Amino acid sequence: MAIFSRYSRYFLYLLIIVGCALIGGVIAEASGPAQEGTPPPSPPSDCAQCHLDIVQGWQTSTHAMAFSDTMFQEAWTAQRKNPVCLGCHTTGYKVSEGTYAHEGVSCEACHGQTPENHPPAPMLVDPGVEVCADCHTTTFQEWKLSGHGEQQLACTTCHKPHPQTLRFETANELCLNCHEDGTDAPYKPETFAHQTHMEQSCTDCHWFRPDPEDVAEHLVSGNLFPTGHTSRVETTSCTTCHAEEVLTSNELGAAPTIEPQFPSDNPALEAEVRIKELESEVDTVKAQAANNSALRVLQGVIVGAALGGIAIFTVMRFRRVASKTHIQPKEE
């Protein structure tokens, strides 16, 4: 029984140490930096305090004017302000409450809510093409079927994300920035189709877009329309010009030779690489935060276990001293 009692005492001591270690770990984690919660929505003016140039480029963009645009307001009013439209034309729209945080597509619509401790807490830099797909459904599906989609060239490869403009002055400059060297057979500039359409822009054939009437229909019914992001030459692209025109071999004449007109230093591809670099930096910061959290817990466990051990040692020491100094009854 004495042996059993001794082992029970040691087991009790072990439980005390483990309990102290767990308490230390919990206290250490709770004392760490505040975790990202759900802070109140931040207006673009808050972002402008540090990102003034970005906000200036955004504030006259299609996204910024998505709600205040006169055409949208007229069409929306004619539809008795259908709340379905607000999912794409506002930021932070809550279906259950019928409220929204900001007019137009603002920073948080793409980057998510700003952490309360940002900075230094990281902000999502590259949300990826999926965030565009929420509203640009047709465009996203067309992109997935295109050569660009197969190569995973994100929207920001060609589009500046904040002003929503092309990364080059003209569409031809943008296309020839990647396709002028002729290494990819379907895009060789010396092919017959290109030689006989020198006066055409790349987007006239490869980027078929609907008539303005079709775009206006979206404001009436909400129906989506093709945007040409398959990058394929559709039949309608040809018939638009050739429906009433018959070309003969004599009329074509000698095929001219295309001379590349634009430098091929690939800034669009450089931009794509930079996006990936920024994404990696964000992942690194997140990993560091996770490591710091784990380190705090480990330190708390060690400190708690040490304090528990010291407490047990102190109690045992006190009991031994007390037992030695206990006054025994005097013998008569």
Side-chain angles (χ1 to χ4, degrees):
M1 292 295 295
I3 295 177
F4 178 77
S5 176
R6 183 174 60 190
Y7 280 114
S8 298
R9 185 168 63 251
Y10 290 152
F11 181 71
L12 177 61
Y13 293 158
L14 178 62
L15 288 179
I16 294 174
I17 292 175
V18 172
C20 291
L22 293 176
I23 293 174
V26 171
I27 293 175
E29 177 62 14
S31 63
Q35 301 298 314
E36 294 183 11
T38 307
S42 301
S45 57
D46 288 355
C47 302
Q49 295 179 15
C50 296
H51 307 286
L52 180 61
D53 55 336
I54 293 176
V55 174
Q56 285 181 335
W58 163 85
Q59 62 186 3
T60 56
S61 68
T62 305
H63 280 171
M65 308 297 290
F67 182 83
S68 60
D69 179 72
T70 303
M71 291 184 62
F72 170 75
Q73 282 294 323
E74 291 177 354
W76 190 47
T77 302
Q79 297 180 54
R80 298 182 180 180
K81 297 187 176 182
N82 188 343
V84 175
C85 305
L86 299 180
C88 290
H89 288 264
T90 64
T91 299
Y93 175 63
K94 295 182 179 180
V95 179
S96 58
E97 301 176 7
T99 60
Y100 54 85
H102 311 299
E103 295 181 356
V105 183
S106 64
C107 312
E108 292 183 353
C110 299
H111 294 282
Q113 290 186 320
T114 306
E116 290 183 344
N117 55 339
H118 170 76
M123 188 71 183
L124 182 63
V125 176
D126 178 22
V129 297
E130 286 76 14
V131 72
C132 304
D134 290 342
C135 293
H136 301 279
T137 308
T138 302
T139 300
F140 175 71
Q141 295 300 329
E142 291 175 345
W143 171 83
K144 288 177 64 176
L145 298 174
S146 69
H148 291 160
E150 292 176 358
Q151 297 297 321
Q152 290 299 302
L153 297 179
C155 310
T156 51
T157 304
C158 300
H159 300 274
K160 294 179 182 179
H162 298 106
Q164 288 102 61
T165 57
L166 295 179
R167 291 193 175 273
F168 287 81
E169 291 296 328
T170 66
N172 277 3
E173 288 180 296
L174 177 64
C175 298
L176 293 177
N177 180 67
C178 294
H179 298 301
E180 71 166 331
D181 57 7
T183 55
D184 199 359
Y187 304 109
K188 283 186 176 181
E190 66 269 18
T191 57
F192 176 80
H194 291 113
Q195 290 175 336
T196 55
H197 293 80
M198 290 288 292
E199 71 285 359
Q200 248 66 51
S201 170
C202 304
T203 55
D204 289 339
C205 297
H206 293 275
W207 225 264
F208 177 75
R209 298 171 302 283
D211 294 330
E213 292 77 10
D214 297 325
V215 178
E217 175 64 23
H218 168 71
L219 297 175
V220 177
S221 64
N223 294 332
L224 300 176
F225 49 85
T227 59
H229 280 75
T230 59
S231 304
R232 298 173 181 172
V233 179
E234 304 291 344
T235 303
T236 50
S237 299
C238 302
T239 57
T240 299
C241 294
H242 296 288
E244 298 179 359
E245 184 178 359
V246 178
L247 295 177
T248 64
S249 58
N250 292 332
E251 291 174 324
L252 289 176
T257 302
I258 290 182
E259 294 293 337
Q261 301 177 9
F262 311 106
S264 182
D265 49 359
N266 288 338
L269 296 182
E270 292 178 4
E272 180 72 11
V273 172
R274 180 56 180 157
I275 288 172
K276 296 302 180 184
E277 290 176 351
L278 292 173
E279 186 178 16
S280 299
E281 291 177 9
V282 172
D283 291 340
T284 299
V285 173
K286 290 181 178 179
Q288 290 175 347
N291 291 337
N292 292 336
S293 177
L295 181 60
R296 287 196 304 272
V297 172
L298 179 59
Q299 291 173 340
V301 168
I302 294 175
V303 172
L307 291 177
I310 292 173
I312 292 174
F313 175 79
T314 302
V315 171
M316 294 177 63
R317 181 80 175 180
F318 177 79
R319 292 182 61 184
R320 289 177 183 175
V321 172
S323 63
K324 289 181 180 180
T325 58
H326 183 70
I327 299 176
Q328 300 293 333
K330 295 182 180 180
E331 297 179 359
E332 294 182 358

